[in-house]
Amino acid sequence: MLHWLQQPWPWYVSGPLIGLMVPLLLLLGNKAFGISSSLRHICAACLPAKLPFFHYNWKAERWNLFFVGGVMAGGFIAALFLTNGKPIAINPALLQHLNQYQIQEGNSFVPTTIFSWQGLLTLRGFIMMVLGGFLVGFGTRYAGGCTSGHAINGLSNLQLPSFIATICFMIGGFIMANFILPFILQL
Amino acid sequence: MQNTTSIQKIDTNTDFEVRSLDTMCTNDSSLQHPWWYNLKYVMAGIIFGIILIKAEVISWFRIQEMFHLQSFHMYGVIGSAVITGALGVFIIKKMHLKTIHGEPIFFIQKKFSKGQIYGGIIFGLGWAMTGACPGPLYALIGSGITVILVVLFSATVGTWVYGAIREKLPH
């Protein structure tokens, strides 16, 4: 059992399990699956600063903060006990493509030359983490949800706005990965 | 007694405009629970965090593969997740299932706004840069890559700035 858990799960196992989070949260307490609103609750709790967008009863939404706290704990448990230590089977063509930007390793979840505390002090690392993070937080709230809220939850409920949002997530991602990131990675 | 307080609570919440734009942020339970009722969401979160790691969707490399069309993996994960989620929602609607506390389950119809286009593209740009959407950010921090705290903090700042200037943005 543990041995099986430590193997990488194929998409047709992990995908449906992710999808089951939608009915699970509905059955637990009529909650709409979504992660990015936790960032809004953090703002509302820490620095509402007279902005109407952050003046609401965030305590009524605290389930979401418990949920993301659990996600963090789950990441800890899985990384510590449920991995087999082998690198993720990335397409070799991608790794070869990344080689030209001095990104050799594929055995971590992230390229550690960029996503590390030392990498934060490099120009490309700073841009990708600080600016990238800003765009994630700004964009998800502007769009009213992220991959979980729109792409998984919204599409599960056949919501057209979520379909539009998901298409735009992909458009933004394709533009960045193919046309902008090559320049950032060269820095 | 509980009913009258809940009605009051709904009546005093006049912040419909702000609410309607944030489709992810709804708490429709009229039951008042002690805080430890939320521990079940910690459990759900732990399960979700483990799945995210095992699904490898927290990998920056997997996200790059997806946007370079070099692997089916991410499309398979998201596609099968949507199909399973839709099946779950369909069953809940069809059988009129209630929550484990006996409350009715209802669904919010999302309203279209231009934010889904502009905000969606902005998020997509950030997604391909950081290689992580918000869920994986939390899971990555838990997995021991502590520098992702910077990304999460920056995302929180981004959310705050959106809240500060949203009146000026097209919706």
Side-chain angles (χ1 to χ4, degrees), chain A residues 124-152:
Chain A
R124 61 177 185 175
F126 186 85
I127 292 174
M128 286 168 72
M129 283 189 270
V130 176
L131 179 66
F134 184 92
L135 295 177
V136 167
F138 188 94
T140 50
R141 205 72 271 114
Y142 197 177
C146 60
T147 335
S148 50
H150 271 314
I152 311 275

Side-chain angles (χ1 to χ4, degrees), chain B:
Chain B
M1 197 52 208
Q2 198 161 33
N3 263 335
T4 52
T5 51
S6 70
I7 288 165
Q8 266 177 350
K9 209 182 108 201
I10 292 164
D11 281 345
T12 51
N13 179 17
T14 53
D15 203 4
F16 296 119
E17 203 275 321
V18 169
R19 274 295 165 104
S20 65
L21 279 165
D22 189 295
T23 48
M24 291 302 98
C25 180
T26 43
N27 180 58
D28 304 291
S29 170
S30 55
L31 296 178
Q32 298 292 319
H33 293 305
W35 72 270
W36 46 265
Y37 268 65
N38 284 309
L39 289 180
K40 60 180 182 284
Y41 300 113
V42 178
M43 277 312 297
I46 289 174
I47 294 167
F48 184 51
I50 291 173
I51 298 169
L52 283 178
I53 299 271
K54 295 307 296 178
E56 300 176 342
V57 297
I58 42 80
S59 165
W60 184 88
F61 300 95
R62 283 282 187 219
I63 305 300
Q64 301 306 319
E65 270 183 347
M66 164 172 66
F67 289 130
H68 286 109
L69 296 175
Q70 287 172 322
S71 168
F72 178 72
H73 183 85
M74 287 296 301
Y75 297 97
V77 168
I78 297 175
S80 59
V82 170
I83 292 168
T84 316
L87 209 61
V89 169
F90 177 78
I91 291 170
I92 287 174
K93 280 181 176 169
K94 198 82 185 167
M95 300 180 68
H96 302 287
L97 294 182
K98 289 183 183 327
T99 72
I100 53 171
H101 301 297
E103 293 174 278
I105 294 173
F106 40 87
F107 298 89
I108 298 104
Q109 296 297 314
K110 297 185 186 194
K111 275 204 284 200
F112 173 73
S113 102
K114 286 180 201 139
Q116 282 132 21
I117 296 173
Y118 302 129
I121 291 172
I122 292 169
F123 164 56
L125 295 171
W127 188 15
M129 256 203 249
T130 61
C133 38
L137 284 183
Y138 289 103
L140 279 171
I141 293 166
S143 82
I145 305 173
T146 51
V147 76
I148 302 297
L149 280 167
V150 175
V151 184
L152 185 70
F153 178 76
S154 209
T156 312
V157 173
T159 300
W160 192 90
V161 170
Y162 168 72
I165 65 167
R166 63 183 290 274
E167 311 290 332
K168 301 185 185 80
L169 298 170
H171 278 99

Side-chain angles (χ1 to χ4, degrees), chain A residues 37-96:
Chain A
S37 40
S38 65
L39 300 173
R40 184 187 183 192
H41 306 326
I42 293 170
C43 290
C46 299
L47 195 66
K50 298 204 176 90
L51 295 168
F53 191 65
F54 298 121
H55 277 269
Y56 59 94
N57 183 18
W58 65 269
K59 283 184 183 159
E61 319 285 348
R62 62 185 173 180
W63 75 273
N64 197 255
L65 297 172
F66 282 87
F67 184 61
V68 296
V71 174
M72 217 181 273
F76 177 78
I77 293 167
L80 203 60
F81 301 112
L82 301 177
T83 48
N84 60 3
K86 293 199 185 104
I88 291 173
I90 309 288
N91 188 331
L94 177 76
L95 293 177
Q96 198 168 4

Side-chain angles (χ1 to χ4, degrees), chain A residues 168-182:
Chain A
C168 292
F169 297 165
M170 299 306 292
I171 291 172
F174 272 102
I175 293 172
M176 175 55 67
N178 292 285
F179 304 115
I180 308 177
L181 206 56

